[in-house]
Amino acid sequence: MPADPLHRAGTPQRSTTSQPPSGSGASAIEVRRSARRRRTVSAYREGDRTVVLIPARMSEAEEQRWVSVMLDKLAAQESKRVLGDAELTERAERLSAQYFDGRARPNSVRWVTNQNTRWGSCTPAEGSIRLSHRLQGMPEYVVDYVLLHELAHLLVPGHGPGFWRLLEAYPRTERARGYLEGVVAAERLPHLPGARGE
């Protein structure tokens, strides 16, 4: 394993890995403590894992609080990043390899602005996948779910038991579906006038 560039050899540090609190996008969290780090806390994604760097002197309660803060910050940064069509295609290929053994092979994956009642669509005969622009800015796990949903249609048409069995491989399926259901429900709520008499 390569040396961590943020810590010099011989510097005492403790590293722990845990499952994330509900609401985070990563599957595991690694907390690295460093005696050299005095005040700052930072975090980054490393594959499907989140690494949080904290000072060694922090208490367990402070560690938990900072992990939660940093997960929220990372999620906010990621939700602002908009993938282009080329990145969306790369992501679809990676998801197909990870969850479907690379069997779902789209010919094109792109954003479209003409899907206001669906999150995505797929034309298996053409191998084309289209995602609604309304997904842009949503958490990555939600975009991944919609991509996987459409990739699964390249393998199984319709929404029968075989289709849903494919999606069971993605651990955030129910969470992503709940998120999208919440968005739809919020869009149906009546718009109340603002506090300033708008």
Side-chain angles (χ1 to χ4, degrees):
M1 182 172 182
D4 183 350
L6 299 173
H7 305 288
R8 292 189 180 144
T11 303
Q13 104 184 30
R14 181 172 63 91
S15 179
T16 58
T17 302
S18 63
Q19 292 304 310
S22 60
S24 70
S27 63
I29 300 163
E30 180 178 340
V31 177
R32 295 181 187 164
R33 291 176 171 260
S34 170
R36 293 182 54 87
R37 189 174 282 269
R38 298 287 177 217
R39 292 187 190 100
T40 61
V41 176
S42 62
Y44 60 91
R45 301 279 194 217
E46 192 174 78
D48 201 25
R49 175 176 61 150
T50 302
V51 177
V52 181
L53 307 169
I54 65 172
R57 63 173 175 72
M58 272 193 184
S59 68
E60 293 294 323
E62 288 175 307
E63 174 183 318
Q64 289 178 7
R65 184 177 70 82
W66 274 107
V67 165
S68 179
V69 166
M70 297 313 289
L71 288 174
D72 289 345
K73 282 187 176 185
L74 282 174
Q77 289 169 356
E78 290 167 352
S79 71
K80 291 176 185 170
R81 187 177 65 219
V82 176
L83 301 174
D85 288 350
E87 293 168 307
L88 204 56
T89 299
E90 289 173 18
R91 191 175 197 130
E93 290 168 356
R94 180 180 54 79
L95 289 167
S96 176
Q98 184 174 358
Y99 294 102
F100 302 147
D101 297 321
R103 292 179 296 131
R105 295 185 183 142
N107 292 322
S108 69
V109 183
R110 61 191 174 95
W111 296 108
V112 294
T113 57
N114 63 350
Q115 288 190 47
N116 294 315
T117 59
R118 296 195 269 184
W119 297 114
S121 62
C122 172
T123 307
E126 298 173 2
S128 63
I129 291 174
R130 295 159 303 282
L131 296 191
S132 172
H133 71 287
R134 296 181 306 140
L135 288 165
Q136 293 174 338
M138 289 190 187
E140 288 185 0
Y141 74 91
V142 175
V143 176
D144 284 352
Y145 165 72
V146 176
L147 268 174
L148 280 165
H149 185 107
E150 301 309 331
L151 285 165
H153 280 307
L154 292 177
L155 303 172
V156 178
H159 293 100
F163 174 84
W164 293 111
R165 271 194 300 277
L166 281 175
L167 287 179
E168 286 174 1
Y170 184 58
R172 299 181 192 100
T173 291
E174 288 305 314
R175 187 168 151 213
R177 286 173 56 106
Y179 184 99
L180 293 171
E181 288 169 6
V183 169
V184 170
E187 289 172 352
R188 292 180 182 154
L189 291 174
H191 296 284
L192 301 174
R196 297 182 197 166
E198 296 172 6

